[in-house]
Amino acid sequence: MTTFTKFRKSLLMASSALALTGTAFAQDSTHKVDRVTPFNGVKDYRTWSVGAWGGGSGAFGPFGGPYYFNNFDLKNTGLVYGAYVKKQIFHNFGLQADFLKGQVKGTTKGSQALTNIVGTPMATGGINEFKTDIDWAASVSGVFSLGSINWINKQSYIIPYVSAGAGAIAFKPTAVATDGTQIAVLNSDGSKTHRELYIPVGVGAKFNVARGVNIDLGYNVNFVNSKVFDGVNSGNKDKFSTARLGVEFALGSKKKPQLAVVNPAAQVAMDLWDKNAALKSSLEASDAQNKAAIAGLKQEIADMKTDSDGDGVPDFLDKCPNTPAGTKVDGAGCPLPTPVQVVKEKIIVTEADRKVVKDAIDNLEFDLGKATIRPTSYASLDRVASLLVEKNFSLKLAGHTDNTGSATTNMRLSKERAEAIKAYLVSKGANASRIEATGYGSTQPIASNKTAAGRQQNRRVEFTLY
């Protein structure tokens, strides 16, 4: 078994252990599925997170390593560590800023030493290993989650991902000669620190173990834009691998779920379930109301047919129940009152009565343009009042004027004169309710208004006795 196979086997064992851990947490009833309204943006999620990790490094990748430095075992693994800040933009995509520091080591195959070395100073006995210190490495990567949509479970507890990005790295490579001499690989200006661009490409998985807490297991291959990263200035540009184990914490309110681990399919499903449940509840309530209304209507119909006393009025409308049979009742079921026969007194107006009224009309005089009765009219009006009192007559007074003046003034004056006569008769004992006083102004002339005689006739008050 090669050393690379051993390393890969160890990585798979660690992944399996974390998968079991994730499953255990998935069965924890307190680790509930968060409820978020779909299609409402990211304001209800936690989108920022930070993480820290540690792990090992090696001078090889999934496609092998430098042909002269791939003889490698775990005891010579370099130690690396780092931290990152991540912004989750969508459920399955985020941007991550990484910081890396540590050391990468490598040895030659068997006992063969490298001889064509470009270093400073040159090695006399060849190179059989190297050590490169990474002062720092910073990069920004896009992280694509592969398991955020889960159609089997509501919550995704294991979320695989791939990442790729770019950044800068500062490192100090040291070649170790066969005689143990350590040779620093210098820049052309004599400095030890090399600064180059590099491209990190990785795969991994997040294990959601608690609200806002994830275990991060990952593997990266880092392509360095340099041929001296491994201490040997030859061959293709170098690369190195890192395997890491870390922990990630979501930032923000603990009441909000972490966008990276929420299953959007479950959120849509839960939203539909809630709406379906609300609709079902509403339909059940409406059905219950309809059944109650139908039952009530049936009872009302039955009540409408019930008439205990047989008076033709159903009990629910009968305000006078138990009326004797044959009794005539009203719409409320109450007995109708016995009709009272009213005997109307016949009133006879004699010629003598009409003469009293005619005398009053002939002797009636008013002040000019006023409703003031002149004293010369009192005697005849007194006889009319006595007639009304003695025989209980009714009297209609209709005031009229000629067309002199405005229609409004004439109408007012005719009404006032009729009312003046009524007031006088009432003052002499006549019943006010039996006297009607109306004014017609100049609307009903009995003679021409073109002559003084005609206008005189039109200025009158008519007495109608009945």
Side-chain angles (χ1 to χ4, degrees):
M1 182 182 294
T2 65
T3 53
F4 176 71
T5 303
K6 293 179 180 178
F7 183 77
R8 184 169 57 185
K9 184 176 180 181
S10 300
L11 186 60
L12 290 174
M13 291 176 64
S15 176
S16 300
L18 284 175
L20 293 175
T21 303
T23 303
F25 274 94
Q27 295 172 349
D28 182 2
S29 61
T30 62
H31 190 56
K32 68 174 185 177
V33 177
D34 293 294
R35 177 71 172 85
V36 178
T37 303
F39 311 114
N40 200 30
V42 298
K43 62 184 180 65
D44 294 329
Y45 296 93
R46 284 189 279 178
T47 59
W48 287 96
S49 60
V50 295
W53 57 270
S57 64
F60 60 88
F63 310 106
Y67 71 94
Y68 39 80
F69 281 135
N70 62 0
N71 187 24
F72 185 82
D73 56 38
L74 293 178
K75 68 180 181 180
N76 291 323
T77 300
L79 296 179
V80 287
Y81 57 92
Y84 61 84
V85 177
K86 184 180 179 184
K87 169 64 176 177
Q88 196 72 23
I89 299 175
F90 303 110
H91 284 284
N92 57 352
F93 177 74
L95 291 176
Q96 182 169 305
D98 279 281
F99 176 81
L100 167 66
K101 189 175 177 64
Q103 188 180 70
V104 180
K105 300 177 183 180
T107 61
T108 59
K109 293 181 180 180
S111 58
Q112 181 181 1
L114 301 176
T115 56
N116 295 325
I117 306 300
V118 179
T120 307
M122 293 294 293
T124 57
I127 301 298
N128 65 354
E129 65 178 290
F130 79 94
K131 296 178 182 179
T132 297
D133 294 323
I134 301 175
D135 293 341
W136 57 265
S139 64
V140 176
S141 300
V143 181
F144 298 86
S145 300
L146 305 179
S148 58
I149 299 179
N150 187 340
W151 295 102
I152 300 175
N153 302 306
K154 292 182 181 179
Q155 179 69 51
S156 300
Y157 296 102
I158 303 176
I159 304 174
Y161 65 85
V162 296
S163 64
I169 185 170
F171 57 91
K172 296 185 181 73
T174 301
V176 181
T178 55
D179 59 1
T181 304
Q182 295 189 3
I183 306 169
V185 180
L186 305 179
N187 288 305
S188 58
D189 60 0
S191 61
K192 292 183 179 181
T193 301
H194 298 255
R195 293 179 177 83
E196 298 290 349
L197 297 177
Y198 84 108
I199 296 175
V201 178
V203 296
K206 297 288 180 70
F207 299 83
N208 182 226
V209 296
R211 288 177 63 90
V213 181
N214 304 315
I215 298 299
D216 186 11
L217 180 65
Y219 175 79
N220 274 36
V221 178
N222 304 278
F223 299 88
V224 184
N225 187 33
S226 173
K227 293 184 178 181
V228 301
F229 182 84
D230 57 4
V232 179
N233 189 6
S234 63
N236 296 323
K237 292 183 179 180
D238 298 327
K239 60 180 177 290
F240 67 97
S241 297
T242 57
R244 65 188 191 181
L245 178 65
V247 61
E248 179 184 42
F249 299 95
L251 303 179
S253 173
K254 293 183 179 180
K255 295 180 180 180
K256 295 181 179 181
Q258 187 180 359
L259 179 60
V261 301
V262 168
N263 181 9
Q267 298 300 320
V268 174
M270 285 189 287
D271 189 60
L272 291 175
W273 292 335
D274 289 349
K275 290 180 179 179
N276 288 340
L279 179 59
K280 182 179 179 182
S281 177
S282 177
L283 290 175
E284 289 176 350
S286 297
D287 186 53
Q289 291 177 354
N290 291 338
K291 289 181 179 179
I294 292 172
L297 183 60
K298 289 181 178 179
Q299 184 60 45
E300 289 180 5
I301 293 173
D303 292 341
M304 290 176 66
K305 296 179 180 179
T306 304
D307 181 10
S308 301
D309 54 11
D311 59 1
V313 179
D315 289 351
F316 79 102
L317 292 176
D318 199 340
K319 295 183 178 179
C320 299
N322 303 319
T323 53
T327 303
K328 292 184 178 181
V329 297
D330 57 16
C334 295
L336 292 171
T338 302
V340 178
Q341 187 174 4
V342 179
V343 179
K344 187 175 181 181
E345 181 182 359
K346 187 175 182 181
I347 299 175
I348 300 175
V349 181
T350 65
E351 289 298 325
D353 298 331
R354 292 190 179 92
K355 185 177 185 308
V356 172
V357 172
K358 184 177 183 304
D359 290 342
I361 295 173
D362 293 340
N363 294 322
L364 184 60
E365 295 182 3
F366 292 93
D367 289 342
L368 183 62
K370 297 181 180 180
T372 304
I373 303 173
R374 291 182 176 178
T376 56
S377 304
Y378 290 165
S380 59
L381 289 176
D382 289 344
R383 289 192 291 274
V384 173
S386 298
L387 186 63
L388 295 177
V389 172
E390 292 172 1
K391 294 192 174 183
N392 203 24
F393 284 141
S394 295
L395 179 66
K396 180 178 180 180
L397 300 170
H400 301 273
T401 66
D402 58 25
N403 66 351
T404 303
S406 66
T408 302
T409 301
N410 290 335
M411 186 64 70
R412 177 182 56 79
L413 180 60
S414 65
K415 174 70 173 174
E416 289 178 350
R417 285 182 172 178
E419 291 286 352
I421 295 172
K422 177 180 178 179
Y424 182 84
L425 296 175
V426 171
S427 70
K428 295 299 181 177
N431 188 346
S433 65
R434 288 183 170 273
I435 302 174
E436 178 186 356
T438 307
Y440 294 96
S442 60
T443 61
Q444 298 180 6
I446 59 175
S448 175
N449 281 308
K450 294 181 178 179
T451 63
R455 289 192 294 275
Q456 175 65 35
Q457 293 181 53
N458 289 333
R459 296 192 295 269
R460 70 195 187 280
V461 176
E462 296 177 349
F463 288 57
T464 302
L465 194 66
Y466 62 95

PDB file of all heavy atoms in Angstrom, residues 237-252:
ATOM      1  N   LYS A 237       5.406  23.698 -13.031  1.00  0.00           N
ATOM      2  CA  LYS A 237       5.108  24.514 -11.857  1.00  0.00           C
ATOM      3  C   LYS A 237       4.538  23.625 -10.758  1.00  0.00           C
ATOM      4  O   LYS A 237       3.851  22.637 -11.012  1.00  0.00           O
ATOM      5  CB  LYS A 237       4.135  25.631 -12.225  1.00  0.00           C
ATOM      6  CG  LYS A 237       4.769  26.671 -13.151  1.00  0.00           C
ATOM      7  CD  LYS A 237       3.819  27.817 -13.449  1.00  0.00           C
ATOM      8  CE  LYS A 237       4.501  28.853 -14.352  1.00  0.00           C
ATOM      9  NZ  LYS A 237       3.614  29.984 -14.669  1.00  0.00           N
ATOM     10  N   ASP A 238       4.813  24.007  -9.537  1.00  0.00           N
ATOM     11  CA  ASP A 238       4.545  23.133  -8.393  1.00  0.00           C
ATOM     12  C   ASP A 238       3.100  23.230  -7.905  1.00  0.00           C
ATOM     13  O   ASP A 238       2.388  24.210  -8.155  1.00  0.00           O
ATOM     14  CB  ASP A 238       5.490  23.483  -7.245  1.00  0.00           C
ATOM     15  CG  ASP A 238       6.946  23.273  -7.633  1.00  0.00           C
ATOM     16  OD1 ASP A 238       7.205  22.349  -8.420  1.00  0.00           O
ATOM     17  OD2 ASP A 238       7.800  24.038  -7.146  1.00  0.00           O
ATOM     18  N   LYS A 239       2.746  22.234  -7.159  1.00  0.00           N
ATOM     19  CA  LYS A 239       1.440  22.210  -6.473  1.00  0.00           C
ATOM     20  C   LYS A 239       1.605  21.449  -5.177  1.00  0.00           C
ATOM     21  O   LYS A 239       2.545  20.662  -5.010  1.00  0.00           O
ATOM     22  CB  LYS A 239       0.366  21.562  -7.343  1.00  0.00           C
ATOM     23  CG  LYS A 239       0.624  20.127  -7.754  1.00  0.00           C
ATOM     24  CD  LYS A 239      -0.503  19.617  -8.610  1.00  0.00           C
ATOM     25  CE  LYS A 239      -0.239  18.196  -9.115  1.00  0.00           C
ATOM     26  NZ  LYS A 239       0.848  18.149 -10.117  1.00  0.00           N
ATOM     27  N   PHE A 240       0.676  21.682  -4.250  1.00  0.00           N
ATOM     28  CA  PHE A 240       0.689  20.932  -2.993  1.00  0.00           C
ATOM     29  C   PHE A 240      -0.748  20.731  -2.548  1.00  0.00           C
ATOM     30  O   PHE A 240      -1.666  21.466  -2.962  1.00  0.00           O
ATOM     31  CB  PHE A 240       1.511  21.646  -1.913  1.00  0.00           C
ATOM     32  CG  PHE A 240       0.915  22.950  -1.449  1.00  0.00           C
ATOM     33  CD1 PHE A 240       0.131  23.023  -0.293  1.00  0.00           C
ATOM     34  CD2 PHE A 240       1.146  24.127  -2.158  1.00  0.00           C
ATOM     35  CE1 PHE A 240      -0.399  24.223   0.142  1.00  0.00           C
ATOM     36  CE2 PHE A 240       0.621  25.339  -1.719  1.00  0.00           C
ATOM     37  CZ  PHE A 240      -0.156  25.392  -0.567  1.00  0.00           C
ATOM     38  N   SER A 241      -0.972  19.749  -1.713  1.00  0.00           N
ATOM     39  CA  SER A 241      -2.312  19.417  -1.243  1.00  0.00           C
ATOM     40  C   SER A 241      -2.442  19.682   0.253  1.00  0.00           C
ATOM     41  O   SER A 241      -1.464  19.596   0.998  1.00  0.00           O
ATOM     42  CB  SER A 241      -2.626  17.944  -1.515  1.00  0.00           C
ATOM     43  OG  SER A 241      -2.618  17.677  -2.893  1.00  0.00           O
ATOM     44  N   THR A 242      -3.675  19.989   0.656  1.00  0.00           N
ATOM     45  CA  THR A 242      -3.973  20.132   2.094  1.00  0.00           C
ATOM     46  C   THR A 242      -5.258  19.378   2.398  1.00  0.00           C
ATOM     47  O   THR A 242      -6.211  19.404   1.615  1.00  0.00           O
ATOM     48  CB  THR A 242      -4.151  21.610   2.498  1.00  0.00           C
ATOM     49  OG1 THR A 242      -5.190  22.197   1.716  1.00  0.00           O
ATOM     50  CG2 THR A 242      -2.855  22.381   2.298  1.00  0.00           C
ATOM     51  N   ALA A 243      -5.271  18.685   3.484  1.00  0.00           N
ATOM     52  CA  ALA A 243      -6.487  18.061   4.018  1.00  0.00           C
ATOM     53  C   ALA A 243      -6.768  18.725   5.349  1.00  0.00           C
ATOM     54  O   ALA A 243      -5.874  18.876   6.181  1.00  0.00           O
ATOM     55  CB  ALA A 243      -6.290  16.563   4.189  1.00  0.00           C
ATOM     56  N   ARG A 244      -8.009  19.141   5.540  1.00  0.00           N
ATOM     57  CA  ARG A 244      -8.270  19.933   6.740  1.00  0.00           C
ATOM     58  C   ARG A 244      -9.545  19.488   7.450  1.00  0.00           C
ATOM     59  O   ARG A 244     -10.477  18.950   6.836  1.00  0.00           O
ATOM     60  CB  ARG A 244      -8.392  21.407   6.374  1.00  0.00           C
ATOM     61  CG  ARG A 244      -9.566  21.744   5.486  1.00  0.00           C
ATOM     62  CD  ARG A 244      -9.466  23.190   5.029  1.00  0.00           C
ATOM     63  NE  ARG A 244     -10.680  23.663   4.378  1.00  0.00           N
ATOM     64  CZ  ARG A 244     -10.809  24.882   3.880  1.00  0.00           C
ATOM     65  NH1 ARG A 244      -9.793  25.735   3.956  1.00  0.00           N
ATOM     66  NH2 ARG A 244     -11.928  25.249   3.309  1.00  0.00           N
ATOM     67  N   LEU A 245      -9.555  19.747   8.720  1.00  0.00           N
ATOM     68  CA  LEU A 245     -10.717  19.495   9.562  1.00  0.00           C
ATOM     69  C   LEU A 245     -10.939  20.741  10.398  1.00  0.00           C
ATOM     70  O   LEU A 245     -10.036  21.191  11.108  1.00  0.00           O
ATOM     71  CB  LEU A 245     -10.481  18.282  10.465  1.00  0.00           C
ATOM     72  CG  LEU A 245     -11.610  17.926  11.436  1.00  0.00           C
ATOM     73  CD1 LEU A 245     -12.852  17.506  10.675  1.00  0.00           C
ATOM     74  CD2 LEU A 245     -11.155  16.815  12.380  1.00  0.00           C
ATOM     75  N   GLY A 246     -12.142  21.307  10.301  1.00  0.00           N
ATOM     76  CA  GLY A 246     -12.375  22.562  11.001  1.00  0.00           C
ATOM     77  C   GLY A 246     -13.805  22.673  11.494  1.00  0.00           C
ATOM     78  O   GLY A 246     -14.617  21.758  11.356  1.00  0.00           O
ATOM     79  N   VAL A 247     -14.092  23.818  12.063  1.00  0.00           N
ATOM     80  CA  VAL A 247     -15.425  24.101  12.567  1.00  0.00           C
ATOM     81  C   VAL A 247     -15.846  25.481  12.067  1.00  0.00           C
ATOM     82  O   VAL A 247     -15.036  26.405  12.006  1.00  0.00           O
ATOM     83  CB  VAL A 247     -15.479  24.021  14.109  1.00  0.00           C
ATOM     84  CG1 VAL A 247     -14.550  25.041  14.743  1.00  0.00           C
ATOM     85  CG2 VAL A 247     -16.903  24.205  14.629  1.00  0.00           C
ATOM     86  N   GLU A 248     -17.101  25.586  11.703  1.00  0.00           N
ATOM     87  CA  GLU A 248     -17.647  26.829  11.153  1.00  0.00           C
ATOM     88  C   GLU A 248     -18.797  27.296  12.030  1.00  0.00           C
ATOM     89  O   GLU A 248     -19.638  26.495  12.466  1.00  0.00           O
ATOM     90  CB  GLU A 248     -18.140  26.596   9.721  1.00  0.00           C
ATOM     91  CG  GLU A 248     -18.755  27.825   9.074  1.00  0.00           C
ATOM     92  CD  GLU A 248     -19.317  27.520   7.699  1.00  0.00           C
ATOM     93  OE1 GLU A 248     -19.951  26.447   7.542  1.00  0.00           O
ATOM     94  OE2 GLU A 248     -19.128  28.339   6.794  1.00  0.00           O
ATOM     95  N   PHE A 249     -18.858  28.616  12.280  1.00  0.00           N
ATOM     96  CA  PHE A 249     -19.916  29.202  13.105  1.00  0.00           C
ATOM     97  C   PHE A 249     -20.653  30.260  12.279  1.00  0.00           C
ATOM     98  O   PHE A 249     -20.021  31.147  11.699  1.00  0.00           O
ATOM     99  CB  PHE A 249     -19.340  29.841  14.370  1.00  0.00           C
ATOM    100  CG  PHE A 249     -18.633  28.877  15.269  1.00  0.00           C
ATOM    101  CD1 PHE A 249     -17.255  28.721  15.192  1.00  0.00           C
ATOM    102  CD2 PHE A 249     -19.336  28.116  16.184  1.00  0.00           C
ATOM    103  CE1 PHE A 249     -16.585  27.836  16.017  1.00  0.00           C
ATOM    104  CE2 PHE A 249     -18.680  27.216  17.014  1.00  0.00           C
ATOM    105  CZ  PHE A 249     -17.303  27.070  16.930  1.00  0.00           C
ATOM    106  N   ALA A 250     -21.968  30.162  12.256  1.00  0.00           N
ATOM    107  CA  ALA A 250     -22.769  31.169  11.569  1.00  0.00           C
ATOM    108  C   ALA A 250     -22.885  32.411  12.439  1.00  0.00           C
ATOM    109  O   ALA A 250     -23.036  32.324  13.662  1.00  0.00           O
ATOM    110  CB  ALA A 250     -24.158  30.618  11.254  1.00  0.00           C
ATOM    111  N   LEU A 251     -22.818  33.565  11.824  1.00  0.00           N
ATOM    112  CA  LEU A 251     -22.941  34.838  12.527  1.00  0.00           C
ATOM    113  C   LEU A 251     -24.376  35.345  12.406  1.00  0.00           C
ATOM    114  O   LEU A 251     -25.089  35.039  11.461  1.00  0.00           O
ATOM    115  CB  LEU A 251     -21.974  35.871  11.934  1.00  0.00           C
ATOM    116  CG  LEU A 251     -20.492  35.492  11.932  1.00  0.00           C
ATOM    117  CD1 LEU A 251     -19.668  36.583  11.288  1.00  0.00           C
ATOM    118  CD2 LEU A 251     -20.002  35.217  13.355  1.00  0.00           C
ATOM    119  N   GLY A 252     -24.791  36.150  13.383  1.00  0.00           N
ATOM    120  CA  GLY A 252     -26.128  36.730  13.338  1.00  0.00           C
ATOM    121  C   GLY A 252     -27.054  36.144  14.381  1.00  0.00           C
ATOM    122  O   GLY A 252     -26.649  35.372  15.257  1.00  0.00           O
TER     123      GLY A 252
END
